[in-house]
mmCIF file of all heavy atoms in Angstrom:
data_model
loop_
_atom_site.group_PDB
_atom_site.id
_atom_site.type_symbol
_atom_site.label_atom_id
_atom_site.label_comp_id
_atom_site.label_asym_id
_atom_site.label_seq_id
_atom_site.Cartn_x
_atom_site.Cartn_y
_atom_site.Cartn_z
ATOM 1 N N THR A 126 0.828 -1.232 -0.011
ATOM 2 C CA THR A 126 0.012 -0.004 0.001
ATOM 3 C C THR A 126 0.866 1.286 -0.033
ATOM 4 O O THR A 126 0.267 2.347 -0.086
ATOM 5 C CB THR A 126 -0.920 0.021 1.211
ATOM 6 O OG1 THR A 126 -0.134 -0.068 2.402
ATOM 7 C CG2 THR A 126 -1.950 -1.129 1.171
ATOM 8 N N ARG A 127 2.224 1.107 0.040
ATOM 9 C CA ARG A 127 3.042 2.311 0.002
ATOM 10 C C ARG A 127 2.928 2.898 -1.431
ATOM 11 O O ARG A 127 2.807 2.184 -2.411
ATOM 12 C CB ARG A 127 4.476 1.921 0.246
ATOM 13 C CG ARG A 127 4.788 1.523 1.675
ATOM 14 C CD ARG A 127 6.236 1.116 1.865
ATOM 15 N NE ARG A 127 7.157 2.136 1.413
ATOM 16 C CZ ARG A 127 8.494 1.984 1.436
ATOM 17 N NH1 ARG A 127 9.031 0.874 1.824
ATOM 18 N NH2 ARG A 127 9.252 3.041 1.043
ATOM 19 N N SER A 128 3.042 4.209 -1.492
ATOM 20 C CA SER A 128 2.809 4.877 -2.800
ATOM 21 C C SER A 128 4.121 5.377 -3.414
ATOM 22 O O SER A 128 4.091 6.135 -4.378
ATOM 23 C CB SER A 128 1.880 6.099 -2.567
ATOM 24 O OG SER A 128 2.436 6.981 -1.639
ATOM 25 N N ASP A 129 5.317 4.929 -2.935
ATOM 26 C CA ASP A 129 6.533 5.376 -3.458
ATOM 27 C C ASP A 129 6.674 5.162 -4.937
ATOM 28 O O ASP A 129 7.041 6.033 -5.737
ATOM 29 C CB ASP A 129 7.748 4.596 -2.820
ATOM 30 C CG ASP A 129 7.711 4.663 -1.305
ATOM 31 O OD1 ASP A 129 6.621 4.576 -0.708
ATOM 32 O OD2 ASP A 129 8.809 4.742 -0.666
ATOM 33 N N TYR A 130 6.265 3.942 -5.383
ATOM 34 C CA TYR A 130 6.315 3.630 -6.819
ATOM 35 C C TYR A 130 4.899 3.399 -7.352
ATOM 36 O O TYR A 130 4.774 2.815 -8.418
ATOM 37 C CB TYR A 130 7.190 2.361 -7.045
ATOM 38 C CG TYR A 130 8.588 2.564 -6.562
ATOM 39 C CD1 TYR A 130 8.990 2.022 -5.323
ATOM 40 C CD2 TYR A 130 9.517 3.262 -7.351
ATOM 41 C CE1 TYR A 130 10.296 2.195 -4.919
ATOM 42 C CE2 TYR A 130 10.828 3.453 -6.916
ATOM 43 C CZ TYR A 130 11.199 2.910 -5.683
ATOM 44 O OH TYR A 130 12.549 3.072 -5.276
ATOM 45 N N GLY A 131 3.890 3.822 -6.625
ATOM 46 C CA GLY A 131 2.543 3.696 -7.106
ATOM 47 C C GLY A 131 1.996 2.319 -6.668
ATOM 48 O O GLY A 131 2.719 1.351 -6.584
ATOM 49 N N ARG A 132 0.758 2.258 -6.287
ATOM 50 C CA ARG A 132 0.102 1.028 -5.814
ATOM 51 C C ARG A 132 -0.246 0.165 -7.021
ATOM 52 O O ARG A 132 -0.705 0.650 -8.053
ATOM 53 C CB ARG A 132 -1.101 1.312 -4.978
ATOM 54 C CG ARG A 132 -0.886 2.114 -3.736
ATOM 55 C CD ARG A 132 -2.092 2.106 -2.811
ATOM 56 N NE ARG A 132 -3.275 2.606 -3.527
ATOM 57 C CZ ARG A 132 -4.484 2.583 -2.986
ATOM 58 N NH1 ARG A 132 -4.660 2.202 -1.758
ATOM 59 N NH2 ARG A 132 -5.524 3.065 -3.661
ATOM 60 N N LEU A 133 -0.123 -1.145 -6.897
ATOM 61 C CA LEU A 133 -0.550 -2.052 -7.926
ATOM 62 C C LEU A 133 -2.030 -1.847 -8.231
ATOM 63 O O LEU A 133 -2.418 -1.854 -9.411
ATOM 64 C CB LEU A 133 -0.339 -3.511 -7.438
ATOM 65 C CG LEU A 133 -0.935 -4.611 -8.336
ATOM 66 C CD1 LEU A 133 -0.258 -4.619 -9.703
ATOM 67 C CD2 LEU A 133 -0.772 -5.979 -7.647
ATOM 68 N N TRP A 134 -2.847 -1.692 -7.218
ATOM 69 C CA TRP A 134 -4.238 -1.498 -7.438
ATOM 70 C C TRP A 134 -4.573 -0.338 -8.399
ATOM 71 O O TRP A 134 -5.404 -0.438 -9.300
ATOM 72 C CB TRP A 134 -5.037 -1.267 -6.113
ATOM 73 C CG TRP A 134 -4.819 -2.396 -5.140
ATOM 74 C CD1 TRP A 134 -4.720 -3.695 -5.406
ATOM 75 C CD2 TRP A 134 -4.868 -2.275 -3.702
ATOM 76 N NE1 TRP A 134 -4.624 -4.444 -4.263
ATOM 77 C CE2 TRP A 134 -4.701 -3.590 -3.189
ATOM 78 C CE3 TRP A 134 -5.006 -1.195 -2.822
ATOM 79 C CZ2 TRP A 134 -4.678 -3.846 -1.832
ATOM 80 C CZ3 TRP A 134 -4.965 -1.480 -1.473
ATOM 81 C CH2 TRP A 134 -4.827 -2.809 -0.952
ATOM 82 N N ASP A 135 -3.873 0.794 -8.187
ATOM 83 C CA ASP A 135 -4.123 1.988 -9.040
ATOM 84 C C ASP A 135 -3.638 1.733 -10.411
ATOM 85 O O ASP A 135 -4.298 2.144 -11.398
ATOM 86 C CB ASP A 135 -3.415 3.217 -8.402
ATOM 87 C CG ASP A 135 -3.924 3.530 -7.031
ATOM 88 O OD1 ASP A 135 -5.084 3.312 -6.760
ATOM 89 O OD2 ASP A 135 -3.163 4.036 -6.183
ATOM 90 N N SER A 136 -2.485 1.127 -10.553
ATOM 91 C CA SER A 136 -1.940 0.794 -11.891
ATOM 92 C C SER A 136 -2.853 -0.127 -12.697
ATOM 93 O O SER A 136 -2.984 0.022 -13.906
ATOM 94 C CB SER A 136 -0.558 0.205 -11.780
ATOM 95 O OG SER A 136 -0.023 -0.176 -13.037
ATOM 96 N N LEU A 137 -3.461 -1.032 -11.998
ATOM 97 C CA LEU A 137 -4.290 -2.118 -12.585
ATOM 98 C C LEU A 137 -5.556 -1.523 -13.221
ATOM 99 O O LEU A 137 -6.043 -2.062 -14.226
ATOM 100 C CB LEU A 137 -4.653 -3.118 -11.552
ATOM 101 C CG LEU A 137 -5.258 -4.469 -12.008
ATOM 102 C CD1 LEU A 137 -4.367 -5.160 -13.014
ATOM 103 C CD2 LEU A 137 -5.463 -5.266 -10.768
ATOM 104 N N LEU A 138 -6.042 -0.416 -12.741
ATOM 105 C CA LEU A 138 -7.318 0.158 -13.189
ATOM 106 C C LEU A 138 -7.320 0.416 -14.664
ATOM 107 O O LEU A 138 -8.333 0.106 -15.356
ATOM 108 C CB LEU A 138 -7.680 1.457 -12.369
ATOM 109 C CG LEU A 138 -7.895 1.278 -10.871
ATOM 110 C CD1 LEU A 138 -8.135 2.608 -10.229
ATOM 111 C CD2 LEU A 138 -9.072 0.291 -10.622
ATOM 112 N N GLY A 139 -6.209 1.006 -15.183
ATOM 113 C CA GLY A 139 -6.162 1.339 -16.559
ATOM 114 C C GLY A 139 -6.204 0.119 -17.502
ATOM 115 O O GLY A 139 -6.687 0.175 -18.658
ATOM 116 N N PHE A 140 -5.708 -1.029 -17.036
ATOM 117 C CA PHE A 140 -5.736 -2.263 -17.775
ATOM 118 C C PHE A 140 -7.091 -2.938 -17.809
ATOM 119 O O PHE A 140 -7.404 -3.717 -18.704
ATOM 120 C CB PHE A 140 -4.679 -3.270 -17.243
ATOM 121 C CG PHE A 140 -3.291 -2.778 -17.374
ATOM 122 C CD1 PHE A 140 -2.623 -2.201 -16.300
ATOM 123 C CD2 PHE A 140 -2.602 -2.818 -18.592
ATOM 124 C CE1 PHE A 140 -1.296 -1.751 -16.361
ATOM 125 C CE2 PHE A 140 -1.318 -2.354 -18.674
ATOM 126 C CZ PHE A 140 -0.655 -1.775 -17.575
ATOM 127 N N LEU A 141 -7.929 -2.685 -16.778
ATOM 128 C CA LEU A 141 -9.217 -3.408 -16.658
ATOM 129 C C LEU A 141 -10.287 -2.714 -17.446
ATOM 130 O O LEU A 141 -11.391 -3.297 -17.670
ATOM 131 C CB LEU A 141 -9.615 -3.424 -15.192
ATOM 132 C CG LEU A 141 -8.672 -4.164 -14.226
ATOM 133 C CD1 LEU A 141 -9.143 -4.140 -12.807
ATOM 134 C CD2 LEU A 141 -8.423 -5.590 -14.698
ATOM 135 N N GLU A 142 -10.048 -1.470 -17.909
ATOM 136 C CA GLU A 142 -11.063 -0.765 -18.693
ATOM 137 C C GLU A 142 -10.762 -0.926 -20.196
ATOM 138 O O GLU A 142 -9.650 -0.605 -20.645
ATOM 139 C CB GLU A 142 -11.051 0.754 -18.388
ATOM 140 C CG GLU A 142 -11.602 1.051 -16.975
ATOM 141 C CD GLU A 142 -13.080 0.868 -16.825
ATOM 142 O OE1 GLU A 142 -13.773 0.707 -17.878
ATOM 143 O OE2 GLU A 142 -13.579 0.831 -15.698
ATOM 144 N N PRO A 143 -11.667 -1.492 -20.958
ATOM 145 C CA PRO A 143 -11.379 -1.748 -22.375
ATOM 146 C C PRO A 143 -10.917 -0.459 -23.112
ATOM 147 O O PRO A 143 -10.018 -0.591 -23.975
ATOM 148 C CB PRO A 143 -12.749 -2.213 -22.964
ATOM 149 C CG PRO A 143 -13.485 -2.743 -21.726
ATOM 150 C CD PRO A 143 -13.028 -1.915 -20.597
ATOM 151 N N GLU A 144 -11.524 0.685 -22.818
ATOM 152 C CA GLU A 144 -11.106 1.912 -23.567
ATOM 153 C C GLU A 144 -9.747 2.264 -23.366
ATOM 154 O O GLU A 144 -8.948 2.529 -24.299
ATOM 155 C CB GLU A 144 -12.045 2.998 -23.111
ATOM 156 C CG GLU A 144 -11.798 4.371 -23.762
ATOM 157 C CD GLU A 144 -12.147 4.315 -25.241
ATOM 158 O OE1 GLU A 144 -13.002 3.477 -25.654
ATOM 159 O OE2 GLU A 144 -11.602 5.168 -26.028
ATOM 160 N N THR A 145 -9.245 2.243 -22.074
ATOM 161 C CA THR A 145 -7.815 2.603 -21.815
ATOM 162 C C THR A 145 -6.829 1.463 -22.187
ATOM 163 O O THR A 145 -5.729 1.712 -22.530
ATOM 164 C CB THR A 145 -7.652 3.032 -20.314
ATOM 165 O OG1 THR A 145 -8.255 1.957 -19.502
ATOM 166 C CG2 THR A 145 -8.367 4.306 -20.083
ATOM 167 N N ALA A 146 -7.303 0.208 -22.001
ATOM 168 C CA ALA A 146 -6.408 -0.927 -22.313
ATOM 169 C C ALA A 146 -6.090 -0.975 -23.791
ATOM 170 O O ALA A 146 -5.013 -1.443 -24.190
ATOM 171 C CB ALA A 146 -7.097 -2.226 -21.932
ATOM 172 N N ALA A 147 -6.923 -0.475 -24.635
ATOM 173 C CA ALA A 147 -6.711 -0.463 -26.112
ATOM 174 C C ALA A 147 -5.686 0.550 -26.539
ATOM 175 O O ALA A 147 -5.177 0.525 -27.678
ATOM 176 C CB ALA A 147 -8.048 -0.269 -26.834
ATOM 177 N N ARG A 148 -5.370 1.495 -25.588
ATOM 178 C CA ARG A 148 -4.459 2.585 -25.969
ATOM 179 C C ARG A 148 -3.506 2.797 -24.773
ATOM 180 O O ARG A 148 -3.326 3.968 -24.353
ATOM 181 C CB ARG A 148 -5.209 3.907 -26.294
ATOM 182 C CG ARG A 148 -6.186 3.709 -27.438
ATOM 183 C CD ARG A 148 -7.154 4.904 -27.532
ATOM 184 N NE ARG A 148 -8.095 4.729 -28.610
ATOM 185 C CZ ARG A 148 -9.230 3.965 -28.516
ATOM 186 N NH1 ARG A 148 -9.475 3.373 -27.341
ATOM 187 N NH2 ARG A 148 -10.039 3.898 -29.532
ATOM 188 N N TYR A 149 -2.920 1.817 -24.279
ATOM 189 C CA TYR A 149 -2.055 1.952 -23.081
ATOM 190 C C TYR A 149 -0.715 2.514 -23.448
ATOM 191 O O TYR A 149 0.074 1.929 -24.238
ATOM 192 C CB TYR A 149 -1.881 0.597 -22.386
ATOM 193 C CG TYR A 149 -0.985 0.769 -21.118
ATOM 194 C CD1 TYR A 149 -1.508 1.357 -19.982
ATOM 195 C CD2 TYR A 149 0.341 0.322 -21.095
ATOM 196 C CE1 TYR A 149 -0.758 1.509 -18.874
ATOM 197 C CE2 TYR A 149 1.089 0.466 -20.004
ATOM 198 C CZ TYR A 149 0.548 1.089 -18.823
ATOM 199 O OH TYR A 149 1.324 1.270 -17.693
#
C-alpha cells in the first residue's frame, strides 16, 4: 500500500477498462 512507486491497485485500473487498455 506504499505509494513510493505507485500502488498495484491503481496501476491495474487502466488495464481493466477496455477503452484505456486499447491505448495503453
Side-chain angles (χ1 to χ4, degrees):
T126 56
R127 291 178 56 184
S128 58
D129 306 39
Y130 300 101
R132 299 190 307 176
L133 171 64
W134 300 331
D135 299 329
S136 174
L137 192 56
L138 296 178
F140 297 100
L141 300 178
E142 291 290 346
E144 181 68 22
T145 50
R148 302 167 182 81
Y149 181 73

